[in-house]
C-alpha cells in the first residue's frame, strides 16, 4: 500500500469521525453540565477581565467548585474564544479536535511500532478507535478531559520513540509535564508514569552518550513545573488526593484490589458500565463495543506470549500504569478518570484484530468488517443520539437555559433557585444569563479570593443581581415577594398550601414530566 493511499484512508477515517463528533454537538448532550458551564464561564471571565469568577488573577489552579482544576484547558479555551466566540460549542469542539488528533497519534504509534503484521489492521484499529463509544462520548464534552488525554498520548508517543532514539526524551517529558496542567488524573499520572518509566527503561537514558538529552528534558520539565512548585505546599494542590485515603470503611489494599478488578473486568469494558454517575454513561452501551471482547482476550494472549519484545513490554507498562490514578481515586468507579487506559486497551484489541485479519481471506474480512461496522454504528446511534439525550437530560442539567430566559423576561422580580439537590447549579444561571463576570467578582464572598488556595469549605449560598441560589428557609422565604424555582420535589402539596404558594410556570421534558416549577410567594397571611 502506497504512502499516499495510506494517508487518503486515514483522512477518510478522521473525516467520518469528525462528522460523528460534531453532529448535533450543541444539542447532544442535552443541556449543559455544571463542569462545562464553569469552564466556559471562567474562560470568558479570564478573556474579559484577566480574573476567574472569584476575582483571582490568572490562577495556577482554578478553584471552581472547590476542585482546584488544573488551568491549561481554561486558558486555551479563553484564547480560542477570542477568535471563535464564547460558549459551550467552542469548548466541545476543542474536545472534538483533541479526539481527532489522538486518532492521528494512534496511527503514528502503530506505524512506528510495527506491532501489527497486516497493514490493513492499522486502519481497522484506527477506525474502531475513532468511533468507539468511550472516545465519542469524551469528544463531545466541553471541559478538559479529552484535551488532557490527548497531551498524555502525545507524551506517550514520544516516550516510546525515545526508547529507540533517546533524543526524543527532550520532547517526551516536557509534554507529559504539560499534561499535568490539564486535569487531576494527568497530574498524578505524570508522576506515576515517569517513576515506572525510568525504573523500567531508564538505563538507556543514563548511558553517557544519552545522558545530556535526559538532563535537558529534566531541566525543561522542572521549568514547566515551577508554577506548581509555588503552591505545592497549599491544600489546593492536594485536594483530590484526599480520595486516595478514603477507602470507604474497607482496608486500603482491599479497596485497591476491588477497584482494579472492576476496571479490568470485561463486563465493565464491553457490557455494563458500573459508574453510578449518570453524567458519565451512555444508555445500554459500555465504553467499547461488546464484540471487542473477543479480540481483547486474543490480544492479551498474543501480547504476553511475546512479552520479551520491547514494544510489548512498553504496552504492558501502559496497560498497568494508565489505570492507576483511577484505581486510587476513590470508592466509586469513575470511567472519566480511567480515560488514559483507552489507549493501551485499544492497542491490545489491535493485536487481536490483526490476528483475525491474517486468518481470514479478503472477502471474509470485507464481510466481517462491514458487519461489525454496521452493528457498531447502529448501536452507537441508538444509544448515544437517540436514548442519551432523553434518558440523561436531567443528569446533564437540561432546562437551565429556559430558566434563564424566564428570569431575563422578568428583570424586576426577585428569584430564589433551590439547590438542595444540585448544590453547584448557580453556575448554570451565571452562564446562561451571561452574567457579567466583573460584577460577580465583587458579589462573591471575598474570603475565597483572599485565601484562594487555602481550600476553604465550598459555599453553597450565592447571591448575584436579583437572584439567590440556596436551600429554602420557609420561615422568611414564604413571606418575601419572590419567585421560588425548584424541581418537583422542592415543594410538596402540603407546603404549597401552608405557605400560600401559587404555581405560575413550569418547564417539562419530552415526556411532559416537570423539570422546573416556578412558585410565586408573598401572599401568606400574617407576613
Amino acid at each position: 500500500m502506497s504512502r499516499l493511499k495510506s494517508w487518503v484512508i486515514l483522512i477518510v477515517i478522521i473525516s467520518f469521525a469528525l462528522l460523528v463528533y460534531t453532529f448535533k454537538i450543541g444539542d447532544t448532550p442535552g443541556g449543559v453540565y455544571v463542569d462545562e458551564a464553569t469552564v466556559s464561564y471562567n474562560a470568558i471571565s479570564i478573556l474579559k477581565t484577566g480574573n476567574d469568577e472569584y476575582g483571582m488573577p490568572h490562577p495556577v489552579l482554578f478553584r471552581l467548585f472547590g476542585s482546584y482544576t488544573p488551568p491549561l484547558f481554561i486558558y486555551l479555551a479563553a484564547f480560542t474564544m477570542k477568535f471563535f466566540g464564547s460558549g459551550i460549542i467552542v469548548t466541545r469542539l476543542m474536545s472534538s479536535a483533541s479526539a481527532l488528533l489522538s486518532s492521528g497519534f494512534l496511527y503514528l504509534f502503530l506505524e512506528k511500532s510495527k506491532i501489527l503484521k497486516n497493514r490493513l489492521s492499522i486502519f481497522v484499529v484506527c477506525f474502531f478507535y475513532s468511533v468507539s463509544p468511550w472516545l465519542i462520548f469524551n469528544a463531545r464534552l466541553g471541559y478538559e478531559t479529552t484535551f488532557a488525554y490527548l497531551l498524555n498520548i502525545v507524551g506517550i508517543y514520544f516516550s516510546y520513540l525515545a526508547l529507540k532514539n533517546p533524543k526524543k526524551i527532550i520532547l517526551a517529558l516536557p509534554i507529559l509535564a504539560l499534561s499535568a496542567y490539564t486535569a487531576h488524573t494527568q497530574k498524578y499520572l505524570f508522576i506515576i508514569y515517569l517513576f515506572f518509566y525510568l525504573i523500567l527503561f531508564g538505563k538507556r537514558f543514563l548511558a553517557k552518550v544519552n545522558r545530556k538529552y535526559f538532563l535537558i528534558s529534566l531541566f525543561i520539565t522542572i521549568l514547566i513545573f515551577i508554577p506548581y512548585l509555588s503552591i505545592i505546599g497549599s491544600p489546593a494542590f492536594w485536594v483530590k488526593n484526599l480520595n486516595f485515603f478514603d477507602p470507604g470503611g474497607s482496608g486500603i489494599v482491599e479497596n485497591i484490589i476491588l477497584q482494579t478488578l472492576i476496571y479490568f473486568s470485561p463486563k465493565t469494558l464491553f457490557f455494563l458500565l458500573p459508574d453510578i454517575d449518570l453524567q458519565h454513561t451512555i444508555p445500554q452501551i459500555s465504553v467499547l463495543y461488546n464484540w471487542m471482547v473477543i479480540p481483547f482476550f486474543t490480544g492479551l494472549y498474543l501480547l504476553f506470549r511475546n512479552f520479551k519484545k520491547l514494544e510489548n513490554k512498553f504496552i504492558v507498562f501502559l496497560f498497568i500504569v494508565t489505570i492507576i490514578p483511577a484505581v486510587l481515586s476513590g470508592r466509586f468507579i469513575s470511567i472519566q478518570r480511567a480515560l488514559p487506559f483507552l489507549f493501551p486497551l485499544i492497542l491490545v484489541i489491535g493485536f487481536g484484530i490483526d490476528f483475525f485479519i491474517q486468518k481470514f481471506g479478503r472477502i471474509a474480512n470485507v464481510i466481517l468488517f462491514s458487519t461489525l461496522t454496521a452493528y457498531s454504528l447502529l448501536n452507537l446511534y441508538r444509544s448515544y443520539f437517540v436514548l442519551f439525550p432523553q434518558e440523561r437530560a436531567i443528569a446533564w442539567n437540561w432546562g437551565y437555559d429556559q430558566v434563564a430566559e424566564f428570569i431575563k423576561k422578568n428583570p424586576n422580580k426577585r428569584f430564589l433557585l433551590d439547590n438542595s439537590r444540585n448544590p453547584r447549579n448557580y453556575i448554570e444561571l451565571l452562564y446562561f444569563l451571561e452574567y457579567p463576570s466583573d460584577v460577580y467578582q465583587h458579589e462573591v464572598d471575598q474570603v475565597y479570593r483572599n485565601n484562594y488556595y487555602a481550600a476553604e469549605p465550598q459555599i453553597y449560598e450565592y447571591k448575584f443581581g436579583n437572584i439567590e441560589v440556596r436551600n429554602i428557609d420557609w420561615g422568611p422565604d414564604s413571606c418575601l415577594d419572590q419567585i421560588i424555582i425548584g424541581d418537583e420535589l422542592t415543594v410538596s402539596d402540603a407546603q404549597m398550601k401552608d405557605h400560600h404558594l401559587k404555581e405560575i410556570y413550569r418547564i417539562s421534558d419530552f415526556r411532559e414530566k416537570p423539570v422546573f416549577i416556578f412558585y410565586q410567594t408573598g401572599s401568606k397571611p400574617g407576613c
Side-chain angles (χ1 to χ4, degrees):
M1 187 180 294
S2 69
R3 193 168 185 83
L4 177 61
K5 189 175 181 180
S6 296
W7 280 106
V8 169
I9 296 173
L10 182 63
I11 290 171
V12 170
I13 291 173
I14 289 179
S15 298
F16 181 79
L18 177 63
L19 176 64
V20 177
Y21 296 164
T22 58
F23 177 65
K24 292 186 177 181
I25 196 169
D27 302 320
T28 306
V32 172
Y33 190 58
V34 289
D35 288 354
E36 294 185 302
T38 194
V39 163
S40 285
Y41 188 78
N42 278 273
I44 295 167
S45 182
I46 287 290
L47 177 62
K48 293 182 176 180
T49 71
N51 303 330
D52 78 338
E53 66 177 274
Y54 294 94
M56 183 67 174
H58 300 102
V60 177
L61 294 170
F62 279 83
R63 183 180 176 87
L64 302 188
F65 307 117
S67 63
Y68 290 104
T69 298
L72 189 55
F73 184 81
I74 295 177
Y75 288 126
L76 182 60
F79 177 78
T80 305
M81 289 176 182
K82 184 176 181 179
F83 299 98
F84 298 102
S86 59
I88 294 299
I89 289 181
V90 172
T91 51
R92 286 182 178 177
L93 288 175
M94 289 172 61
S95 290
S96 298
S98 299
L100 288 174
L101 288 171
S102 78
S103 298
F105 275 93
L106 172 64
Y107 172 80
L108 291 174
F109 184 90
L110 294 174
E111 278 268 292
K112 294 291 185 179
S113 65
K114 302 187 185 304
I115 59 173
L116 306 183
K117 297 178 181 179
N118 192 305
R119 186 155 183 79
L120 175 62
S121 302
I122 295 178
F123 300 106
V124 173
V125 172
C126 286
F127 173 76
F128 282 115
Y129 166 80
S130 298
V131 298
S132 64
W134 206 352
L135 189 62
I136 287 173
F137 180 84
N138 285 281
R140 299 169 66 92
L141 300 182
Y143 51 97
E144 68 278 356
T145 303
T146 317
F147 177 64
Y149 172 66
L150 169 65
L151 283 186
N152 184 239
I153 286 179
V154 176
I156 286 172
Y157 171 70
F158 283 109
S159 64
Y160 166 73
L161 294 184
L163 299 182
K164 297 186 176 181
N165 181 1
K167 290 182 181 179
K168 300 295 184 181
I169 198 70
I170 296 176
L171 289 172
L173 294 192
I175 291 172
L176 287 168
L178 277 178
S179 73
Y181 282 88
T182 55
H184 283 294
T185 296
Q186 275 66 27
K187 185 172 71 174
Y188 294 112
L189 180 56
F190 167 69
I191 298 170
I192 296 168
Y193 185 96
L194 181 60
F195 177 77
F196 287 104
Y197 180 80
L198 293 178
I199 287 178
L200 294 173
F201 310 109
K203 285 185 178 180
R204 68 194 66 220
F205 302 112
L206 297 179
K208 189 173 182 180
V209 68
N210 300 325
R211 197 176 303 161
K212 63 179 179 180
Y213 305 124
F214 176 71
L215 292 176
I216 291 172
S217 69
L218 191 61
F219 176 73
I220 297 172
T221 299
I222 292 172
L223 288 180
I224 291 172
F225 253 76
I226 286 176
Y228 268 172
L229 294 175
S230 67
I231 61 167
I232 199 168
S234 69
F237 186 84
W238 302 102
V239 65
K240 288 286 183 176
N241 193 48
L242 294 176
N243 286 333
F244 289 16
F245 305 99
D246 179 25
S250 62
I252 293 177
V253 174
E254 292 87 346
N255 187 59
I256 290 174
I257 293 172
L258 179 62
Q259 291 275 359
T260 302
L261 292 175
I262 293 175
Y263 278 114
F264 282 134
S265 167
K267 181 179 179 181
T268 296
L269 297 173
F270 305 102
F271 298 100
L272 183 62
L273 188 61
D275 193 324
I276 62 174
D277 190 340
L278 292 179
Q279 185 263 331
H280 293 164
T281 62
I282 306 173
Q284 300 182 22
I285 200 168
S286 192
V287 291
L288 293 169
Y289 300 111
N290 51 24
W291 62 264
M292 288 181 168
V293 69
I294 297 174
F296 170 68
F297 279 113
T298 305
L300 278 178
Y301 168 75
L302 295 170
L303 179 67
F304 284 99
R305 189 181 70 176
N306 299 301
F307 179 72
K308 291 183 178 181
K309 291 180 63 176
L310 176 64
E311 289 77 13
N312 290 25
K313 285 183 180 179
F314 185 74
I315 293 171
V316 171
F317 157 70
L318 294 179
F319 194 77
I320 295 172
V321 167
T322 54
I323 201 65
I324 291 177
V327 168
L328 296 179
S329 64
R331 288 177 293 161
F332 304 111
I333 295 299
S334 174
I335 206 63
Q336 182 171 283
R337 294 174 188 150
L339 182 58
F341 184 54
L342 173 58
F343 188 70
L345 185 61
I346 205 70
L347 295 177
V348 172
I349 292 171
F351 277 110
I353 288 175
D354 185 54
F355 172 81
F356 289 111
I357 284 178
Q358 292 179 82
K359 288 291 182 183
F360 299 132
R362 177 174 294 182
I363 294 177
N365 277 324
V366 170
I367 294 172
L368 182 60
F369 176 75
S370 301
T371 303
L372 292 177
T373 299
Y375 172 80
S376 301
L377 295 181
L378 284 172
N379 271 278
L380 176 72
Y381 180 79
R382 175 178 177 271
S383 292
Y384 188 85
F385 290 103
V386 177
L387 298 178
F388 178 66
Q390 299 176 4
E391 296 187 14
R392 299 292 187 266
I394 304 304
W396 276 83
N397 298 307
W398 181 88
Y400 279 97
D401 55 340
Q402 298 178 56
V403 173
E405 283 302 313
F406 185 91
I407 292 174
K408 288 179 182 179
K409 292 176 181 177
N410 296 274
N412 297 320
K413 293 284 188 178
R414 175 189 176 104
F415 293 91
L416 170 59
L417 175 65
D418 175 46
N419 68 351
S420 56
R421 272 166 298 286
N422 189 355
R424 306 186 296 175
N425 63 357
Y426 79 99
I427 197 67
E428 297 284 335
L429 292 188
L430 287 177
Y431 172 75
F432 283 114
L433 290 170
E434 298 178 333
Y435 196 82
S437 55
D438 57 338
V439 175
Y440 182 69
Q441 289 164 16
H442 293 287
E443 293 176 318
V444 71
D445 193 332
Q446 291 302 298
V447 69
Y448 296 100
R449 177 180 175 179
N450 298 333
N451 301 279
Y452 191 86
Y453 298 113
E456 298 283 343
Q458 178 63 21
I459 51 176
Y460 292 109
E461 295 186 4
Y462 309 86
K463 185 174 182 179
F464 46 95
N466 59 333
I467 303 165
E468 287 189 72
V469 183
R470 55 175 172 80
N471 291 350
I472 299 170
D473 184 350
W474 285 113
D477 284 334
S478 60
C479 289
L480 296 174
D481 181 11
Q482 63 182 345
I483 296 174
I484 294 177
I485 307 171
D487 57 28
E488 61 180 342
L489 299 178
T490 299
V491 179
S492 67
D493 291 340
Q495 288 171 324
M496 189 172 176
K497 181 179 180 180
D498 291 344
H499 299 290
H500 293 260
L501 307 181
K502 179 183 179 182
E503 182 182 329
I504 59 172
Y505 187 65
R506 68 170 51 196
I507 297 170
S508 300
D509 63 14
F510 70 99
R511 296 166 296 187
E512 298 302 318
K513 182 179 180 181
V515 179
F516 293 102
I517 304 176
F518 297 66
Y519 301 93
Q520 177 65 58
T521 65
S523 60
K524 183 177 180 179
C527 288

